Amino acid sequence: MAPKLLKANSKAESSIASKTKDETVAWPKLQPIIPSTSLELTEILPDQIFTISNLWSTKLCKQYVSFLSSLPLMTTPGRPKKGEAVRVNDRFQIDDPGFADRLWNETALQELVTGNASGMSKEQQQAVWGGLVVGLNPNIRVYRYTKGQFFGQHYDDSNIVTIGTTRGHTTWTLLLYLTSPATGCTGGQTVFYPEADEPKKGTKTKIQPQPITVELEVGMALLHKHGSDCLLHEGLEVTSGEKWIIRSDLVVI
Ligand SMILES: O=C(O)CCC(=O)C(=O)O
Ligand SMILES: [Fe+2]
């Protein structure tokens, strides 16, 4: 049976720690950065999941974890509203078009997603990303999971987003992992549950594909399709250390 639809309780996001429009975050410089020529977009599951190892250097991740620790993170309540995913983590959110733009332009992300470095033609790119990618969602979310914290099974929604004067919508979730077992964080893997194919003619049994477990890696970006084609997924419980993530989304027109 298909699992009940669980949303990543986007409405609850308004109650998490956030900065008002006038406030800004003094994000550290995005340096040192690794050039796109040394990186690649790796397909984990066709049309659903890609990763980019070392999008952020280890040094940059370390600087950011120490900086992000100074932000006023708030723990989300463990008891969700009806139909929402259970999650417990410490979160911070800001609407910051400037930082979203830097994350897109000052790292190898743009070149790997929409440039020659993607290894895809322009037509292939538009088919995969669900349109012409114009940048990242200015809604930047920072998550910290400590021992015992997790993000239960859910689907991510697509949202309408304006970048500058361009109105678009989000199609893929971007997760940037800043910690891993190498920094003392165990558990916390992101797990995806691909849907079973329709049963073959004359048979009734659907073959349930194996879940896909993405291990944490310092500086790795993960992209996964969201909205109506989103796979059920979760962030497993952290068993030691701290898992830090920066989340945004690809915006297309
Ligand atoms: O923390 C994770 O591994 C998953 C996060 C997630 O699913 C989300 O932000 O929607
Ligand atoms: Fe999610």
Side-chain angles (χ1 to χ4, degrees):
M1 203 180 67
K4 218 165 151 252
L5 197 89
L6 291 173
K7 305 252 181 218
N9 49 351
S10 53
K11 284 208 185 65
E13 311 234 1
S14 55
S15 66
I16 68 172
S18 61
K19 293 263 177 192
T20 63
K21 284 216 166 6
D22 302 334
E23 285 176 293
T24 53
V25 168
W27 306 101
K29 280 202 176 98
L30 297 182
Q31 278 170 6
I33 217 78
I34 300 159
S36 65
T37 44
S38 305
L39 303 177
E40 62 184 12
L41 185 66
T42 306
E43 187 181 76
I44 305 292
L45 183 67
D47 211 27
Q48 285 288 350
I49 310 169
F50 289 94
T51 56
I52 303 167
S53 289
N54 301 313
L55 181 70
W56 275 24
S57 60
T58 306
K59 193 169 172 198
L60 181 59
C61 292
K62 200 169 168 203
Q63 278 170 14
Y64 259 75
V65 168
S66 122
F67 169 75
L68 297 174
S69 306
S70 69
L71 294 175
L73 288 102
M74 272 174 60
T75 306
T76 53
R79 202 186 308 186
K81 294 202 193 97
K82 209 175 164 194
E84 291 177 346
V86 180
R87 64 162 157 200
V88 196
N89 59 13
D90 305 323
R91 298 165 59 82
F92 173 83
Q93 173 184 311
I94 187 166
D95 202 33
D96 193 331
F99 184 66
D101 184 64
R102 287 171 53 202
L103 198 49
W104 181 239
N105 286 296
E106 293 179 17
T107 70
L109 194 56
Q110 179 178 25
E111 183 60 19
L112 285 156
V113 169
T114 64
N116 297 331
S118 70
M120 293 188 267
S121 68
K122 291 283 166 209
E123 291 71 29
Q124 283 172 323
Q125 287 173 25
Q126 294 209 15
V128 169
W129 307 126
L132 185 70
V133 187
V134 289
L136 295 179
N137 189 348
N139 180 12
I140 302 293
R141 286 140 283 177
V142 175
Y143 305 159
R144 174 182 59 201
Y145 302 80
T146 53
K147 188 175 176 345
Q149 295 189 322
F150 62 94
F151 197 147
Q153 295 187 354
H154 66 280
Y155 300 92
D156 295 356
D157 274 337
S158 166
N159 289 293
I160 306 280
V161 169
T162 303
I163 299 185
T165 53
T166 309
R167 202 173 139 91
H169 66 279
T170 64
T171 52
W172 285 63
T173 296
L174 169 72
L175 299 176
L176 178 61
Y177 302 96
L178 305 181
T179 55
S180 78
T183 64
C185 174
T186 57
Q189 297 92 335
T190 309
V191 183
F192 294 88
Y193 300 91
E195 269 149 40
D197 287 332
E198 280 310 306
K200 289 211 177 81
K201 258 197 164 157
T203 60
K204 275 196 178 150
T205 35
K206 285 187 179 183
I207 298 167
Q208 187 58 50
Q210 285 297 314
I212 294 171
T213 301
V214 178
E215 300 289 337
L216 306 186
E217 208 183 288
V218 171
M220 180 175 76
L222 177 143
L223 288 158
H224 76 87
K225 199 179 205 170
H226 71 209
S228 54
D229 291 331
C230 189
L231 294 182
L232 185 69
H233 62 283
E234 66 182 323
L236 295 184
E237 184 176 326
V238 167
T239 46
S240 67
E242 291 184 352
K243 171 184 172 187
W244 282 89
I245 285 188
I246 297 178
R247 153 111 198 245
S248 179
D249 313 278
L250 296 186
V251 178
V252 306
I253 51 169

